[in-house]
Structure formats: C-alpha cells, structure tokens
Amino acid sequence: MHTTTPLHVLEHTFGYTAFRGEQEAIVQSVCDGEDVLVIMPTGGGKSLCYQVPALVRQGVGLVISPLIALMQDQVSALHELGVRAAFLNSTLSYEEVQDVEQALLQGELDLLYVAPERLLQPRTLQLLQRAQLALVAIDEAHCVSQWGHDFRKDYLSLSELANHFPGVPRIALTATADERTRDEIIARLGLEWGRHFICGFDRPNIQYRIQQKDKARDQLLLFLRQEQEGNSGVIYCLSRKKVEELAEWLSQRGYNALPFHAGLPAATRQRNQDRFLRDDNVIIVATIAFGMGIDKPDVRFVVHMDMPKSIEAYYQETGRAGRDGEAATALMFYGVEDVVKLKQMAEMSEANEQFKRLEQQRLNALLGLCEVVTCRRQILLRYFGDVLETPCGNCDNCIDTPKTWDATTAAQMALSCVYRTGQRFGTNYIIEVLRGANTERIRQSGHDQVSTYGIGKEHSVAEWRAILRQLIARGLLAVDADGYGVLSLTEAARPVLRGDTRLELRYDNKIVAQDGKAKTTRRPRLLDDIDEADMPLWQALRACRKRLADEHGVPPYVIFHDATLHEFIIHRPDSESAMLAISGVGDQKLKKFGAEFIEVIREAGYN
Ligand code: ADP
Ligand code: ZN
C-alpha cells in the first residue's frame, strides 16, 4: 500500500517546500478521485497538479499531450528527479515501444505520456485497459475547442475517455482564458460534475512595456545592453526577412542571436532551438512560428519588434517569459505603420461581416492596450475577465505615468491636411506636407499651395507619427484597404475639426532611445540581487550546471533553476541536509548533483 502524501512527494521528489496557490487543493481533489478542470496561466505550475497525484495514487498517470517534441524533454526531466516516466509516440522504434509497454504492464511506470492520435488506436486502448491507471491528465485541453486557436481533431475523441476508463479521475489543464473555450472544454470532456479551478491570469513577475517605435533596432540594443546582458530571450518579428536581418545585426554586435522561422531548413531550426534550450544566453529572433512547445523556464525577456495581431496572441507570446517566476520583461515596439497595417488587414479580410466586426473589436482592444495611459495589466486582465483592483506597479505606465497633452490644434492640422490633399495619401506624405517638405512630389501635386502646407513645423516627424497613430487608433482617421494605407476622415473627426470637442493625446516624447539610466523596476532583477563579490561564485555554479547538463544530455534548467542557484549563493549550503533545505533540491538531485555543487560552494569559501 502507498502511504505517501502530496507534501511528501513535493518535498522529496520535486524538492519544493510548498505548493503554489491552488496547486494544493487541485492535487488533493485528484488524489481523492475527483474529475478536475484547471485553468492556470503559463508558468503557474500545471504539471505538478497531475504529477504529484500520479505519484501518490496507485498505478500510472496517463498524460495526453499534443506536443510530441516536448515529451522527450519532460520525460528526461522526470528521470532526473527519479520518477519512472516514459512516452509513447511515433518517434519510438518498435523495440522501444515494446519496452514501454512491458514496463507499463508490470507496474513499473509512474507517468506515461501519449499523443492523442496514438491513444485512440485500438492497440493502445487495449494496452491501457490492462494497466492500472492512477489518473488521466489532458494537457493543453483547449485543443478540444473549435472556437479556440489550437483546435486538434484528435482531441474530439477524448470525450470517450470517461467510457474507456470509468472510475479513473480525469484532470484537464490549459492556460487559455476565455469563457467560450472553457465552456467547450467542459462540455466536450464531460467535466460538468467535476471541480473547476479557475486561477487568476496574472503573471506578476512579467513587466509589461509598450514603446513607440523609432529606430527600433537602437531601442532594442539599448534594452539589451542596459537590462539583459547574458540573458536568454525571444524577439518576435513579423516577416522572415526581418528575422534574418535582425539576427545577423545582433550577431555582429556580439549577441548569440539565432533566427527561427518556418522557411528555414528543419535541421537549422532544430539546431537553433536546441542551442536556445541548452545554452544559457541565446536570443532567438523568430516569427510566431516559434514558441509552441518551448518550455524553457528561464526566458528573461520577450520583445515584439512589430505589433502582434491580437491581445490573445500578445498574452500567449509574452507568457513565454519568466515561467520560473523570476522577474522577466515583455517589451513591445509599435508605431503608426503597425496600426496602418493591422487596420488594412482587418479591412481586407474576406470573412463575412460578423467575423469582420469581431476582428475589428479585437484590433481595437489591442490598440486600446497600446494607447492607454493607466495600468496596462489592469487592461490586459480585464480583457480576460479578471479584475485587478489596484494598479500593478510593474508596467511602464505604473512605473512612469505618461503625460497627456491637449492635442486639439495639432489634430485639427492633421485632419484638415488629410482633407486638403484630397484623402489620397498615407501618413508619410501627410507629415511631409504638414512640415513643409520641399519635394518634387509635393510641388508637382501643388500641395505646397494648400493652407496646411508647413503649418506643423513645431512638431518633429516622430511627434507627428505619434499623433497620426493615435488619430487612427481612436478612429478619427480611417485606413483604406488598398495596400497604400491611404488616410481618410471619419464621422468621428467632425467634432474635433469643428472645435466642438477637445482631444487629449498621449505624450510620447521618450521615443528616441535615450542614454542614461534604465527605468527603475519595482521587482529586483535576479542578477542585480547578486553582490558583485558573489559573481565569481554565480559563474562557477552556472559552469558546473552546464557541465552536468551536457553530461546528462539535458538543458541546464533541468539540473537546477536559476532560482535554486541563487539560493545556493545566499545560503551557501555545505552539507547534504543544508542542501536539501533549498527549494528545487529533492532526494534524487541531491544524490546526483549535491556533492559537485557543495564542492563549488566550498571552493568559493565564505566571505
Ligand atoms: P505551466 O505548465 O503551468 O506553464 P509548469 O508546470 O511548467 O507551468 O511550472 C512552471 C515552473 O514552476 C516549473 O519550472 C516548475 O518546476 C515550477 N514550480 C511549479 N510548482 C512549484 C512549487 N510549488 N514550488 C516551486 N516551483 C514550482
Ligand atoms: Zn501597471
């Protein structure tokens, strides 16, 4: 008989001292045999919710996961913890499959990962019926939803699980927030009678920042230099070409920046992804093709060089930062050209009217997030139906409240300039006319004769771009879908032009990369927390970790997280029992790696 408790497993196998948030209640429910739905943000700690009960309950925990590429990593990480885990998927040879099946039937497995298409083969079902199951976990459960963004047909047949394995508790997990997807998961997986744990969506360790784009590369470089030296991160760009150019540009400046997009040969993608996982300071420059299935916990920053297409996409992409709970930064650069492009795309899409309206709403929500002058986290969370009572203190607007200014006159100039030039031009041309540029094109069109020619010299090009951006975002200017981004006036522009309403706009003067000190952040950054004198020890610990990781063929974070190394520096454990008291050190890791790290710590001495 098993007599182990969840807390015992948590401490001894995983090396953690306490459950996080709702984990404890979820684990208890599953241990008690209840069906459970878990909605928890990325990095919240979903895996433990089924891994711990699988070790507490009799039998094997069956984990259904769509990401074949991830199974190997998850299973290796579990092996390092001394957990008997295996997977069944198409990458295994016939012999390997037989070994797994045998281990399963002999009760020698704690966890078994299976892809849904594999699970539903008669052979697999028969096999599993002969085994004792502790639970069935359905990871990435939103894949069952046709409404959601990741629908997978194989997931539909998971509705049969309850019939195939009566009496076995089922736990469905996802980070996808919206209510419609949630309802669909509940209905399709038959979880109406189960317990539902809807955890908050906040990722408090991620700092959200959105900046007006102006010489974006320089802005990026400044950010990397001032805040992210030696860290891993992801930089998203819209096009493959931009990905390659930026990766090259960063490489020339001494960064380990590697490109990733769907157009690269599979071998190159694999190699770059592996380096990202295995090395400590690689930056991946990618299109959105990168991310799904990347489980690296110590991604310290995610940068968007272009605007993502919706708040959902933004939240998912930024969510890849800081899974380990340590401070991380999400930085987006956006400008008037992004707004124009997205407006055009929404306008052009061939979908029916209702869908188009939805797309417009999504885009407006995203623009709202970019233009807001109050707490960004409150806006983000409200979008997902979560309420944050007080401003977060950890977004750019909270840290440094943006000023607004009375832009009525400037807006009138811009709007009437669009009108006077015949509503036939895009932003760049309008700005040239406003600033009185002496160009061939303007002279030929006779626009050096219109009344708005040169009346806007008091504002810089960057300021005009910020103004036009906001006029478009607020719907005072419309963008044509013709591919040139032609601006025209909307009804909403009238009252402003007539002087009936005043217009307050966001003041974006900090656009240009300034030197001087970086913005102060509320949360201490991991590295800032380490004394200068301790840096050699930090480097030695990282080197030791990297060596062990290479020996074991796993990424460094599988050996120990940064947070655990950080605790080594603070507490200087020099005995086995002192080591065990550190969060992240369990029985197996102590046995495998404890001595080596104690050695490194001893060599550093006490200062
Ligand atoms: P999710 O699947 O929800 O994105 P994970 O299960 O990958 O999150 O967990 C995120 C990180 O948090 C992992 O590195 C995990 O080891 C760590 N973690 C989870 N639960 C705890 C806990 N109770 N104490 C300390 N660390 C935890
Ligand atoms: Zn805030």
Side-chain angles (χ1 to χ4, degrees):
M1 251 327 270
H2 270 37
T3 49
T4 183
T5 62
L7 196 59
H8 188 272
V9 170
L10 183 75
E11 286 174 349
H12 288 269
T13 304
F14 294 93
Y16 297 136
T17 41
F19 283 110
R20 262 192 208 156
E22 303 244 44
Q23 272 177 341
E24 184 166 17
I26 296 165
V27 165
Q28 197 53 55
S29 269
V30 180
C31 285
D32 292 344
E34 293 181 300
D35 292 334
V36 164
L37 170 70
V38 175
I39 308 221
M40 198 185 260
T42 310
K46 284 186 283 299
S47 330
L48 282 189
C49 295
Y50 56 83
Q51 288 170 345
V52 171
L55 293 169
V56 171
R57 287 173 63 91
Q58 290 282 355
V60 61
L62 176 67
V63 185
I64 299 156
S65 160
L67 304 170
I68 291 182
L70 263 188
M71 288 183 187
Q72 175 74 61
D73 281 353
Q74 280 166 341
V75 165
S76 321
L78 286 164
H79 286 167
E80 296 299 336
L81 295 167
V83 175
R84 302 172 305 171
F87 59 84
L88 279 178
N89 66 32
S90 48
T91 67
L92 294 184
S93 69
Y94 184 70
E95 285 74 27
E96 289 170 320
V97 170
Q98 283 201 315
D99 287 347
V100 172
E101 291 183 355
Q102 192 137 47
L104 174 71
L105 293 176
Q106 287 174 352
E108 287 167 359
L109 286 183
D110 301 311
L111 280 159
L112 177 64
Y113 288 77
V114 185
E117 58 276 15
R118 180 88 182 201
L119 173 75
L120 297 155
Q121 292 169 5
R123 179 190 161 91
T124 317
L125 281 175
Q126 277 161 20
L127 174 79
L128 289 168
Q129 252 132 23
R130 289 164 61 202
Q132 185 182 15
L133 296 192
L135 56 88
V136 181
I138 303 137
D139 207 3
E140 313 287 351
H142 60 279
C143 292
V144 80
S145 156
Q146 273 162 319
W147 162 254
H149 48 85
D150 268 341
F151 173 64
R152 287 173 192 237
K153 222 166 109 255
D154 292 314
Y155 259 66
L156 282 183
S157 22
L158 298 182
S159 58
E160 290 300 308
L161 279 174
N163 300 332
H164 289 307
F165 309 109
V168 177
R170 289 170 299 137
I171 169 170
L173 313 101
T174 177
T176 299
D178 72 89
E179 220 170 283
R180 199 154 153 189
T181 309
R182 188 190 310 165
D183 292 344
E184 217 178 323
I185 296 172
I186 293 170
R188 292 206 193 272
L189 297 180
L191 294 170
E192 291 87 349
W193 302 105
R195 287 192 63 179
H196 301 167
F197 293 90
I198 317 287
C199 309
F201 285 95
D202 194 11
R203 300 284 310 279
N205 60 314
I206 300 183
Q207 181 174 90
Y208 297 102
R209 283 153 50 180
I210 302 179
Q211 275 180 24
Q212 150 111 348
K213 189 189 288 188
D214 186 54
K215 305 197 183 76
R217 282 182 175 180
D218 293 341
Q219 290 171 289
L220 173 69
L221 196 62
L222 193 75
F223 168 71
L224 295 177
R225 293 238 159 100
Q226 290 187 334
E227 304 179 39
Q228 302 290 348
E229 270 323 309
N231 287 343
S232 304
V234 181
I235 301 174
Y236 286 111
C237 303
L238 221 48
S239 71
R240 296 174 181 185
K241 183 161 166 278
K242 251 181 115 170
V243 161
E244 292 189 11
E245 287 170 359
L246 184 60
E248 176 64 31
W249 190 83
L250 286 172
S251 300
Q252 286 164 1
R253 278 151 192 81
Y255 290 92
N256 296 321
L258 304 173
F260 190 104
H261 61 70
L264 289 171
T268 310
R269 266 182 297 165
Q270 189 64 46
R271 195 171 59 238
N272 291 353
Q273 178 169 328
D274 282 348
R275 274 200 55 202
F276 181 62
L277 293 177
R278 313 250 140 158
D279 289 349
D280 275 331
N281 60 347
V282 171
I283 296 173
I284 285 278
V285 186
T287 57
I288 47 169
F290 183 78
M292 184 66 171
I294 298 301
D295 231 351
K296 187 176 165 66
D298 54 358
V299 175
R300 293 271 69 84
F301 62 90
V302 170
V303 174
H304 283 91
M305 297 301 284
D306 304 293
M307 216 167 168
K309 72 174 201 305
S310 64
I311 291 190
E312 285 91 343
Y314 173 70
Y315 207 61
Q316 193 178 43
E317 284 149 21
T318 56
R320 292 175 183 137
R323 280 170 183 243
D324 55 9
E326 301 289 331
T329 304
L331 176 60
M332 186 212 294
F333 297 114
Y334 88 119
V336 63
E337 56 284 87
D338 295 285
V339 181
V340 167
K341 202 179 303 165
L342 286 173
K343 283 270 180 189
Q344 274 176 336
M345 273 161 59
E347 207 39 56
M348 257 185 311
S349 80
E350 296 187 349
N352 63 38
E353 280 308 310
Q354 193 199 349
F355 189 80
K356 251 186 174 170
R357 245 197 333 272
L358 268 175
E359 287 288 286
Q360 288 287 0
Q361 281 171 15
R362 284 193 172 162
L363 174 56
N364 287 337
L366 178 65
L367 293 175
L369 174 72
C370 293
E371 300 294 354
V372 73
V373 292
T374 55
C375 177
R376 298 209 199 264
R377 195 180 310 267
Q378 285 181 316
I379 300 282
L380 267 175
L381 293 178
R382 192 183 316 142
Y383 185 79
F384 293 115
D386 228 7
V387 180
L388 183 67
E389 299 288 347
T390 51
C392 75
N394 194 30
C395 70
D396 52 358
N397 288 353
C398 280
I399 291 166
D400 192 359
T401 310
K403 295 186 190 60
T404 57
W405 61 296
D406 184 341
T408 314
T409 312
Q412 285 168 338
M413 289 180 191
L415 294 170
S416 77
C417 187
V418 169
Y419 184 73
R420 303 262 169 226
T421 51
Q423 311 192 71
R424 290 187 287 118
F425 298 91
T427 51
N428 289 338
Y429 189 81
I430 297 298
I431 293 173
E432 281 176 4
V433 175
L434 281 166
R435 290 184 34 85
N438 184 11
T439 70
E440 181 73 37
R441 192 166 167 220
I442 288 180
R443 281 190 309 265
Q444 273 183 359
S445 332
H447 289 147
D448 51 350
Q449 302 303 319
V450 299
S451 57
T452 50
Y453 180 75
I455 56 168
K457 288 194 174 124
E458 68 195 278
H459 297 296
S460 68
V461 173
E463 282 166 356
W464 277 119
R465 291 166 71 78
I467 294 163
L468 287 173
R469 184 195 83 220
Q470 294 181 76
L471 293 178
I472 299 168
R474 289 173 172 231
L476 273 63
L477 285 174
V479 178
D480 274 13
D482 66 355
Y484 296 103
V486 166
L487 299 174
S488 58
L489 302 189
T490 66
E491 269 307 303
R494 255 177 222 275
V496 175
L497 263 178
R498 278 200 310 251
D500 291 347
T501 43
R502 306 208 68 75
L503 195 67
E504 287 277 315
L505 292 183
R506 196 188 156 99
Y507 190 60
D508 292 288
N509 73 328
K510 295 162 294 190
I511 316 167
V512 188
Q514 338 97 312
D515 34 32
K517 51 185 192 312
K519 285 184 178 173
T520 45
T521 54
R522 188 186 59 152
R523 275 155 209 282
R525 314 201 72 80
L526 191 64
L527 278 179
D528 286 353
D529 272 4
I530 300 173
D531 271 1
E532 203 48 48
D534 288 332
M535 281 316 270
L537 175 55
W538 170 250
Q539 301 299 358
L541 290 168
R542 298 237 294 190
C544 177
R545 175 174 71 174
K546 175 73 177 137
R547 181 170 50 73
L548 291 169
D550 289 345
E551 273 169 34
H552 287 243
V554 294
Y557 58 80
V558 167
I559 306 292
F560 286 127
H561 280 182
D562 282 355
T564 303
L565 297 193
H566 195 207
E567 288 209 22
F568 287 170
I569 292 180
I570 296 169
H571 300 290
R572 310 274 172 138
D574 63 350
S575 67
E576 295 209 338
S577 58
M579 203 83 189
L580 256 189
I582 304 272
S583 175
V585 186
D587 294 353
Q588 281 302 315
K589 289 198 175 169
L590 175 70
K591 208 155 88 191
K592 287 191 202 163
F593 315 124
E596 307 228 24
F597 282 95
I598 288 174
E599 180 74 27
V600 173
I601 291 163
R602 284 203 182 130
E603 270 172 22
Y606 302 83
N607 46 15

